[in-house]
Amino acid sequence: MRIFLIMILWVVFVDCKAQLNIGQTMKQGNRLLSEKKYIEAIDTFDSILKQDTINSDAYFSRAVCKTYIGKNTEAIADYNQCLILNPKKTEAFVN
């Protein structure tokens, strides 16, 4: 029983640490987006989506970057995925 409890606590700890890392990486990606470093930002959002495939904010921000560099078909796919994951993300409808 003790080992089971320790394992549960470890999983919770690791998950919390991963979520913190994703949050920091998301901030970095948004900073790159605001600095108009779109390719670097896309790479950053790609790394987030490798860890968290249901992160609608990462899909949205990556779509914005792709729009700015003219990859409209890819941007539309990301906006659509964002809306599938979070139908209330109204900004994705506008873009």
Side-chain angles (χ1 to χ4, degrees), residues 38-54:
Y38 304 121
I39 302 299
E40 293 93 337
I42 289 170
D43 291 341
T44 303
F45 297 125
D46 284 345
S47 73
I48 292 169
L49 291 167
K50 285 180 185 172
Q51 298 176 54
D52 182 6
T53 59
I54 60 170

Side-chain angles (χ1 to χ4, degrees), residues 4 10 12 19-21 27 29 35 38 40-41 45 51 56-57 69 71-72 75-76 79 81 84 87 91 94:
F4 179 72
W10 177 254
V12 169
Q19 290 301 317
L20 179 62
N21 184 37
K27 286 182 185 178
E35 293 172 358
Y38 304 121
E40 293 93 337
F45 297 125
Q51 298 176 54
S56 63
D57 291 329
I69 64 171
K71 293 189 173 187
N72 296 323
I76 290 169
Y79 286 127
Q81 187 62 33
I84 289 168
E91 300 98 325
V94 176

